Amino acid sequence: MPRTLEGQITMEKTPSYFVTKEAPARISSMSKGTKLIVVVRDPVTRAISDYTQTLSKKPDIPTFESLTFKNRTTGLIDTSWSAIQIGIYAKHLENWLLHFPIGQILFVSGERLIRDPAGELGRVQDFLGLKRIITDKHFYFNKTKGFPCLKKAEGSSKPHCLGKTKGRTHPDIDQDVVQRLRDFYRPFNMKFYQMTGQDFGWD
């Protein structure tokens, strides 16, 4: 990665950082002033999306329902399954707060990013101390994908939408399983809302 010059901001994106136990200490030892941006979404939807992505690569994996439970009869959720574990945001955040103050972390709502991309990116620009340049006029909604797209990517005359791996149709999941997952995540979500001072409205 090239050196950051004065007046520049270097950004690096690795989704697994937030859930990797060693990441906060490593990043803090590199630069205590690092600002962190975490995009979060409803953990139930996130788990189904995670499963959908794996299913597209390995069509012979067990059903979502069978992977969700250690014991379906008792309703015991298998928290060792990464698709479930990643959505326990409060647990991961506790680890980050040992190394960074909450004011250095911005939590972006994945749902609002789809509904109001300019609004959420306005928050990002403010957090980074940047002038608000990205506005509504930079986006249009792609009905096929179900996501907003950039009207014109920098250095290109064509619009830019998310890649093929985004916006896949999710498989139908037993609604009883979805409800059990909602019940499972609820206390973790409430704790996460308290920790971040934001109600993400997942329920």
Side-chain angles (χ1 to χ4, degrees):
M1 188 179 286
R3 286 180 177 274
T4 306
L5 304 174
E6 201 170 323
Q8 290 183 326
I9 294 176
T10 298
M11 297 188 85
E12 199 277 341
K13 176 184 97 77
T14 302
S16 62
Y17 279 168
F18 187 60
V19 299
T20 302
K21 207 170 171 73
E22 303 78 19
R26 286 180 183 168
I27 294 170
S28 174
S29 69
M30 179 199 71
S31 173
K32 286 192 183 310
T34 298
K35 288 185 174 185
L36 306 156
I37 300 170
V38 184
V39 180
V40 290
R41 67 189 291 201
D42 178 333
V44 177
T45 311
R46 209 216 66 74
I48 296 168
S49 182
D50 192 310
Y51 175 79
T52 304
Q53 184 159 339
T54 306
L55 188 63
S56 73
K57 294 173 191 162
K58 299 178 190 168
D60 55 345
I61 60 168
T63 64
F64 179 86
E65 290 83 350
S66 64
L67 290 167
T68 298
F69 297 101
K70 269 189 180 165
N71 183 324
R72 179 98 190 242
T73 314
T74 62
L76 184 65
I77 305 284
D78 187 355
T79 57
S80 68
W81 184 30
S82 65
I84 299 294
Q85 199 195 66
I86 290 169
I88 307 173
Y89 303 130
K91 182 184 134 203
H92 306 302
L93 180 54
E94 280 174 346
N95 193 24
W96 284 89
L97 293 178
L98 298 173
H99 302 276
F100 290 94
I102 193 78
Q104 269 175 241
I105 310 173
L106 177 71
F107 293 92
V108 173
S109 161
E111 290 81 11
R112 281 196 302 263
L113 199 54
I114 294 167
R115 277 195 321 268
D116 178 21
E120 280 300 279
L121 286 173
R123 292 179 62 238
V124 170
Q125 291 170 98
D126 293 347
F127 176 69
L128 295 174
L130 300 170
K131 196 169 125 189
R132 282 199 181 202
I133 292 173
I134 301 166
T135 63
D136 281 331
K137 68 175 189 220
H138 291 92
F139 298 95
Y140 74 94
F141 192 78
N142 182 315
K143 288 191 178 100
T144 311
K145 292 289 274 180
F147 284 103
C149 300
L150 275 172
K151 282 190 178 162
K152 197 175 90 159
E154 198 175 321
S156 166
S157 58
K158 288 191 281 197
H160 178 74
C161 290
L162 294 170
K164 289 190 191 101
T165 63
K166 301 294 179 190
R168 283 195 192 100
T169 304
H170 289 176
D172 285 329
I173 305 296
D174 182 332
Q175 284 309 298
D176 178 53
V177 172
V178 171
Q179 191 52 54
R180 285 191 185 200
L181 276 174
R182 294 220 171 282
D183 295 341
F184 166 77
Y185 280 119
R186 190 171 295 112
F188 297 111
N189 290 344
M190 293 303 150
K191 187 175 181 188
F192 185 63
Y193 297 172
Q194 287 175 332
M195 294 168 85
T196 60
Q198 278 186 74
D199 182 339
F200 290 90
W202 302 319
D203 211 46

